Amino acid sequence: MELISSVISLTFLAQVLRLMTPYYLGASGANFSERGGVINIAIEGFMNLAAFSFVLFSILTGNVTAGFICAVLINLLFSLFFSYFTVKLKINQIVTGVGFNLLIAGLTKFLLVYIFNSSSNTERFEGIPDLEIFKGIPFAGTVLSDYMTIFCFALIFISGFVLFRTKYGLRLRSAGENPYAAESLGVNVRLYKLSGILISGFLSSLAGIWLASNQNSYSDGMIAGRGYIALAAMIIGKWKPVNIFFACLIFSAFEALEITLQISGTDFPTQLIQMLPYLITVLVLVGFIGKTKPPAADGVPY
Amino acid sequence: MNTKFRINLISISLSLISTLLIVFVFLLILNKNPFEIFSVIFTEVFASGYGIGQTLFKATPLIICGCGLAVCFHASLFNIGAEGQLNAGSFVIALVALKAGSLPFPILFILCIVCGFVVSGITGIIPAYIKIKKGVSEVITTIMLNFIILALVNYFLVDFFAVKATMHTEKIADSNMLMKFSDIFPFFEGSSLNMSFVIALLLAFASYIFIYKTKFGYKLRAAGFNETASRYIGININKVILLSFFTGAGITSLAGINYIFGYKGFYEMGFSSNVGFTAIAVALLARNNPLGIIFSSLLFAVLDYGGLSVNQLVPKEIMLVVQGIIILSILAVDRIVKSYFEKRGIA
């Protein structure tokens, strides 16, 4: 009973909206890449890399802004690297993505031990400070205290606008739907694909930074499949910014439920509670109606 | 066929060389002496029967798991759920070995293998089904299933089957353990190398025949090579996806035999130490050829065991970095080499 009342509350809703942030950033990023025809499984690795480099450089320089900039730049560098494989060399995008994820997972594990002398986590640090303007307003104050959550709300409109209302968006989508037709009309398909991947690298770096900043440290395996869940949200959202947002809310709602359950100290086994987000992802993928319809040339090297 | 084989050999060697160079530079950046590190690995692995035995012991699960993945990869199914699949099967193998321990050994052993195979196979059917019905990439579902299966196994283990205050099941009877190599050859004194290695080799040969010499293997490769054309000549693609996922995932369960029947005698949480992921690199390096997988497993086993021996000089996690670099350099070098030969009209 207590549990139900704690779920139906404004605090819970605020929690859901806050936890939506990394999912939506990752899913929107992946969407830009896939609209340009490149499946980006490496979102998971990019989030991981950004989280690690954000913590590393924040601690090294003692300055969160410097950490932020370094993390974004490193992610852009790896995105460039990723596009060299997928766009320039036209290697299978999924295999490349998994390769990147494994490399980045290894790299962060190694550097964690090498630099911080720990196989599990870094020391604590002060994350990005809260936004103070809306402080004191109930509900809105909690949700809007986070820069990136606010950015997410804006991103729903920005990405919708960019994809469907600008020349850039039209050309990006044409590269993902029919690259040959696009090229024959003078669109530089490869350049557009590259731009989609760079945007996905940028947005996923924000997701990683958010996670590390909220946890005030980096720990091994902290991304815990959120990048893949973001991809699932993108699929369920049918590659449309608004739908993706609602799909992300489903997943963040279950993550919030998971946290609430763990705090409430029910007899329910912890392992099964921790399993919840992943189980829900699979169930939603099985349950939602109709076969998915990605951009026509999604995943096809050009 | 012969030129293709030669080109493959060239690109594999070049990717290994480029990996070596990258790792060299990486170590230099970290201000370590790469020559010292490589020589420590080399002497530790090859100087004693123990080192060789341990390396072969570590290669065993990689060969098994690599073969399972090769089946999926040949059908263009990018199964990255081997870690979960093999844990599900191995857990069941350990339980069956425990509960049916009174059966004569050969029957018990076969029963365990069949049960493990079926359970792992079923965990492979799930992503296959979702792929067929909803068109969702198997990469996402297999990764999600890794988390789900490991959580479930953890739950059943801790709440029902584990020895108190440990993370493992009870030990099976000593009489049901596989023979160790050191019992016959004193050369391997002290190492855990056991008959599972022979089983792994046999499995690699069987997988080779299955993939390249049987009718289903042909369909599987055809479907992976060109789905549209295969559909056109009457291959039931959905059936191929289901069966190859079932077989591939099923094979991975046998990786547990090495640990359960050959080494500790029980299932332990985390026993697989990411074999399911390393096997991806193993299979890719061998171009998904099961006979090649034997060799690439040996290479990774050297890295794994060697990594432990250089832990004093550089954290052993360096080997995870090496794995990642190997995968990416295989992909890039292979494409560059192939287009080089294509331009010259050789391949």
Side-chain angles (χ1 to χ4, degrees):
Chain A
M1 223 34 235
E2 225 173 276
L3 185 70
I4 295 170
S5 65
S6 71
V7 166
I8 311 171
S9 68
L10 279 180
T11 340
F12 185 78
L13 188 63
Q15 174 90 316
V16 171
L17 286 171
R18 230 175 51 82
L19 290 172
M20 168 275 302
T21 312
Y23 293 114
Y24 192 65
L25 288 169
S28 307
N31 193 26
F32 271 97
S33 175
E34 299 220 354
R35 282 289 182 177
V38 180
I39 296 178
N40 195 348
I41 297 280
I43 289 285
E44 171 89 4
F46 286 166
M47 282 160 96
N48 191 4
L49 184 67
F52 181 77
S53 35
F54 174 61
V55 175
L56 173 64
F57 287 103
S58 296
I59 291 176
L60 281 185
T61 60
N63 183 336
V64 195
T65 320
F68 182 92
I69 293 169
C70 288
V72 170
L73 287 181
I74 289 173
N75 248 34
L76 288 178
L77 188 72
F78 267 72
S79 314
L80 210 60
F81 201 35
F82 181 79
S83 51
Y84 176 75
F85 275 74
T86 51
V87 181
K88 181 86 195 348
L89 293 177
K90 300 179 195 172
I91 298 167
N92 183 321
Q93 296 157 4
I94 292 180
V95 187
T96 308
V98 173
F100 268 79
N101 288 348
L102 290 178
L103 174 67
I104 291 170
L107 210 54
T108 49
K109 268 191 217 293
F110 171 74
L111 291 176
L112 194 57
V113 179
Y114 189 74
I115 300 173
F116 295 99
N117 277 322
S118 155
S119 58
S120 58
N121 56 283
T122 63
E123 58 207 76
R124 285 180 67 80
F125 76 113
E126 280 304 316
I128 299 172
D130 282 351
L131 188 63
E132 302 284 350
I133 311 172
F134 303 102
K135 211 177 175 186
I137 312 170
F139 183 61
T142 353
V143 178
L144 297 178
S145 66
D146 194 306
Y147 292 100
M148 295 224 201
T149 311
I150 300 173
F151 177 65
C152 272
F153 291 121
L155 188 61
I156 304 172
F157 301 102
I158 297 172
S159 57
F161 180 77
V162 169
L163 283 174
F164 299 105
R165 295 277 180 271
T166 61
K167 203 154 82 178
Y168 169 78
L170 180 68
R171 292 185 174 171
L172 180 70
R173 283 184 295 129
S174 74
E177 294 290 343
N178 192 336
Y180 297 96
E183 193 81 54
S184 74
L185 292 170
V187 176
N188 188 342
V189 170
R190 286 187 176 184
L191 199 65
Y192 278 89
K193 282 179 185 290
L194 170 66
S195 71
I197 294 172
L198 287 181
I199 294 175
S200 75
F202 169 67
L203 291 176
S204 51
S205 73
L206 297 187
I209 290 169
W210 187 90
L211 287 167
S213 175
N214 269 272
Q215 195 187 301
N216 291 80
S217 69
Y218 175 88
S219 55
D220 183 35
M222 66 178 279
I223 307 297
R226 281 192 185 81
Y228 295 102
I229 296 180
L231 284 166
M234 175 199 68
I235 293 170
I236 294 158
K238 301 203 159 84
W239 291 266
K240 295 195 181 83
V242 180
N243 297 7
I244 295 173
F245 176 73
F246 287 110
C248 288
L249 282 184
I250 301 176
F251 295 126
S252 62
F254 277 99
E255 197 185 333
L257 181 66
E258 180 200 331
I259 294 170
T260 316
L261 277 173
Q262 271 177 345
I263 295 171
S264 72
T266 53
D267 305 331
F268 212 64
T270 30
Q271 301 99 325
L272 299 188
I273 295 174
Q274 282 163 356
M275 186 178 87
L276 210 57
Y278 313 109
L279 186 65
I280 294 301
T281 310
V282 172
L283 290 180
V284 173
L285 282 173
V286 176
F288 81 104
I289 309 125
K291 204 162 169 150
T292 55
K293 202 165 166 295
D298 200 9
V300 186
Y302 175 80
Chain B
M1 190 63 210
N2 211 356
T3 10
K4 200 182 153 199
F5 183 73
R6 234 180 310 158
I7 292 174
N8 268 338
L9 217 56
I10 292 173
S11 88
I12 289 171
S13 340
L14 281 179
S15 50
L16 286 178
I17 292 169
S18 58
T19 306
L20 203 64
L21 285 176
I22 296 170
V23 174
F24 236 78
V25 173
F26 189 67
L27 287 172
L28 284 176
I29 293 172
L30 297 176
N31 206 10
K32 306 278 175 189
N33 181 356
F35 293 103
E36 189 190 354
I37 287 169
F38 283 113
S39 71
V40 169
I41 290 181
F42 197 78
T43 47
E44 194 66 33
V45 171
F46 296 104
S48 68
Y50 175 76
I52 294 174
Q54 282 304 84
T55 308
L56 295 179
F57 170 73
K58 290 207 178 273
T60 308
L62 286 175
I63 297 174
I64 297 173
C65 205
C67 287
L69 289 182
V71 172
C72 294
F73 291 175
H74 268 292
S76 272
L77 296 169
F78 210 59
N79 175 12
I80 44 176
E83 187 70 11
Q85 288 151 11
L86 82 88
N87 269 286
S90 304
F91 183 51
V92 170
I93 287 178
L95 291 185
V96 173
L98 210 58
K99 302 289 171 201
S102 52
L103 289 174
F105 181 71
I107 299 175
L108 173 74
F109 193 64
I110 291 169
L111 181 72
C112 286
I113 287 182
V114 171
C115 291
F117 195 97
V118 170
V119 169
S120 285
I122 290 171
T123 61
I125 291 271
I126 300 168
Y129 178 80
I130 299 176
K131 186 183 171 72
I132 293 167
K133 284 288 168 201
K134 301 290 173 184
V136 175
S137 162
E138 67 280 10
V139 173
I140 296 171
T141 41
T142 46
I143 273 282
M144 292 295 115
L145 281 166
N146 275 345
F147 288 107
I148 296 173
I149 293 168
L150 290 176
L152 277 178
V153 169
N154 192 336
Y155 166 67
F156 283 114
L157 181 66
V158 172
D159 280 31
F160 298 103
F161 298 106
V163 179
K164 262 208 160 32
T166 66
M167 289 296 271
H168 60 74
T169 57
E170 278 170 55
K171 197 176 175 313
I172 61 173
D174 280 335
S175 55
N176 285 339
M177 295 288 281
L178 285 171
M179 199 166 44
K180 287 205 163 134
F181 268 46
S182 51
D183 296 344
I184 325 166
F185 309 106
F187 175 69
F188 292 113
E189 192 60 53
S191 96
S192 319
L193 182 63
N194 58 75
M195 290 312 278
S196 310
F197 181 67
V198 179
I199 296 174
L201 292 183
L202 292 176
L203 179 77
F205 283 106
S207 308
Y208 179 81
I209 292 168
F210 174 71
I211 293 171
Y212 293 101
K213 307 288 176 197
T214 64
K215 212 161 130 188
F216 183 75
Y218 171 76
K219 286 183 184 173
L220 182 150
R221 284 180 299 131
F225 190 67
N226 188 332
E227 199 187 310
T228 321
S230 315
R231 213 182 283 276
Y232 192 69
I233 59 168
I235 293 174
N236 183 342
I237 300 287
N238 290 350
K239 199 171 135 193
V240 169
I241 293 178
L242 277 174
L243 274 177
S244 40
F245 238 123
F246 178 78
T247 319
I251 291 173
T252 63
S253 71
L254 308 186
I257 290 176
N258 190 40
Y259 194 85
I260 296 164
F261 282 104
Y263 180 37
K264 290 278 191 178
F266 50 72
Y267 172 88
E268 187 169 21
M269 199 70 217
F271 87 94
S272 53
S273 57
N274 286 338
V275 161
F277 292 109
T278 308
I280 297 174
V282 165
L284 283 179
L285 182 59
R287 297 279 176 284
N288 303 326
N289 181 327
L291 300 183
I293 284 173
I294 297 175
F295 295 100
S296 59
S297 300
L298 289 175
L299 175 71
F300 277 95
V302 169
L303 291 179
D304 190 9
Y305 181 65
L308 292 175
S309 61
V310 292
N311 203 10
Q312 293 295 327
L313 300 166
V314 59
K316 63 179 186 304
E317 283 78 7
I318 183 97
M319 292 309 158
L320 298 172
V321 183
V322 176
Q323 274 175 29
I325 296 175
I326 286 187
I327 296 180
L328 292 182
S329 69
I330 297 163
L331 294 174
V333 169
D334 191 49
R335 180 51 52 95
I336 293 166
V337 166
K338 290 229 164 93
S339 63
Y340 174 86
F341 282 110
E342 268 161 23
K343 267 182 202 150
R344 273 152 194 75
I346 295 171

